[in-house]
């Protein structure tokens, strides 16, 4: 599998130097660096965003800003991305890289709990990316659904959750329970079309009818 991963990375576009630098600094300085999207997933997010050509993007879960930069590359000339992160200690790092990427004017950072911030946002979005607290995925989905235009997209990360979705979760494994519940909710939601890509930890692409 490692050989296949290397082959894929050798046959796609090279990683943006700013994103390379962000990846290195995240791994050096931030706990949980594996949460960073990385080159393959980042390129998929950029490609999807460029295909959609969104005017407005909402990201739930900034971390150090890698995925926000990737998504923002597909924004229209006047477009804007709002990204929400609960950890205020990461705000400076991500803001610095938004500046380095030349995207500071297109990305608006909101710091605090997403469940409090999302209801305060009076925008209609073409694209939403969910990559925050897995226990709250259903809550995010319900809060953002009416803020997504018809024909708009929701992308949810980590929806295979290290293949734990195939097993019965332990009583205290609330994150796996959250992902399973989210997947089941989306599966039975007739308002959307959906597909799960087995990319890294699973990525669900949802289109609102």
């Amino acid at each position: 599998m490692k050989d296949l991963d290397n082959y894929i990375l050798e046959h796609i576009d090279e990683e943006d130097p700013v994103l390379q630098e962000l990846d290195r600094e995240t791994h050096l300085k931030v706990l949980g660096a594996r949460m960073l999207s990385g080159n393959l997933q980042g390129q998929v997010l950029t490609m999807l965003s460029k295909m959609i050509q969104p005017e407005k993007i909402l990201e739930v879960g900034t971390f150090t800003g890698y995925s926000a930069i990737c998504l923002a590359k597909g924004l229209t000339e006047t477009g804007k991305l709002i990204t929400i992160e609960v950890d205020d200690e990461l705000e400076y790092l991500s803001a610095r890289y938004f500046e380095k990427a030349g995207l500071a004017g297109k990305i608006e950072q909101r710091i605090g709990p997403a469940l409090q911030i999302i209801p305060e946002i009076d925008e209609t979005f073409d694209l939403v990316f969910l990559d925050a607290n897995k226990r709250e995925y259903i809550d995010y989905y319900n809060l953002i659904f009416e803020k997504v235009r018809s024909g708009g997209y929701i992308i949810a990360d980590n929806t295979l959750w290290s293949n734990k979705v195939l097993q019965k979760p332990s009583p205290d494994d609330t994150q796996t329970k959250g992902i399973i519940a989210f997947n089941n909710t989306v599966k039975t939601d007739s308002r959307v079309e959906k597909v799960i890509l087995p990319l890294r930890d699973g990525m669900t692409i949802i289109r609102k009818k």
Side-chain angles (χ1 to χ4, degrees):
M1 197 65 181
K2 181 75 171 174
D3 290 343
L4 182 60
D5 290 343
N6 289 336
Y7 181 87
I8 291 169
L9 291 173
E10 287 169 2
H11 289 80
I12 64 175
D13 288 341
E14 290 187 7
E15 189 173 24
D16 183 322
V18 172
L19 292 173
Q20 282 184 343
E21 186 180 345
L22 174 54
D23 189 310
R24 285 195 299 270
E25 186 165 351
T26 299
H27 279 84
L28 283 171
K29 297 181 179 179
V30 182
L31 290 173
R34 65 184 182 84
M35 294 190 292
L36 182 140
S37 291
N39 187 30
L40 175 57
Q41 185 180 33
Q43 299 241 18
V44 171
L45 291 174
T46 295
M47 185 71 76
L48 290 171
S49 186
K50 286 182 175 181
M51 290 166 68
I52 296 165
Q53 297 184 304
E55 178 73 20
K56 298 282 176 63
I57 301 174
L58 175 65
E59 177 183 57
V60 183
T62 314
F63 193 47
T64 57
Y66 194 106
S67 54
I69 291 171
C70 293
L71 289 164
K73 289 182 177 186
L75 283 167
T76 62
E77 189 174 340
T78 58
K80 178 176 75 171
L81 182 150
I82 297 173
T83 183
I84 303 170
E85 174 57 49
V86 71
D87 187 351
D88 60 355
E89 292 185 358
L90 297 175
E91 182 180 10
Y92 171 73
L93 178 60
S94 52
R96 185 154 51 83
Y97 278 91
F98 296 157
E99 187 71 40
K100 283 190 175 191
L103 293 166
K106 286 182 170 287
I107 299 176
E108 177 185 330
Q109 292 183 275
R110 304 273 185 103
I111 302 298
L115 296 183
Q116 293 179 20
I117 292 174
I118 294 170
E120 298 171 354
I121 299 174
D122 185 19
E123 300 274 7
T124 299
F125 295 98
D126 306 292
L127 174 60
V128 175
F129 183 52
L130 302 181
D131 190 16
N133 189 335
K134 313 311 167 191
R135 304 174 190 87
E136 298 177 346
Y137 263 33
I138 287 180
D139 297 318
Y140 302 148
Y141 185 73
N142 290 333
L143 284 174
I144 60 97
F145 196 84
E146 294 305 320
K147 298 178 187 292
V148 178
R149 66 167 175 83
S150 294
Y153 291 83
I154 301 166
I155 301 173
D157 198 18
N158 306 114
T159 49
L160 296 180
W161 202 231
S162 300
N163 295 336
K164 291 180 182 179
V165 293
L166 299 176
Q167 308 153 11
K168 183 176 180 180
S170 60
D172 60 345
D173 188 355
T174 53
Q175 297 205 70
T176 301
K177 288 180 178 179
I179 288 292
I180 291 172
F182 172 78
N183 288 344
N184 289 337
T185 295
V186 173
K187 174 187 174 182
T188 58
D189 190 346
S190 61
R191 301 171 298 173
V192 299
E193 301 163 342
K194 55 275 186 183
V195 63
I196 297 177
L197 302 181
L199 174 69
R200 288 190 70 201
D201 204 19
M203 192 164 71
T204 302
I205 301 177
I206 302 160
R207 180 181 180 274
K208 184 175 178 180
K209 293 180 182 177

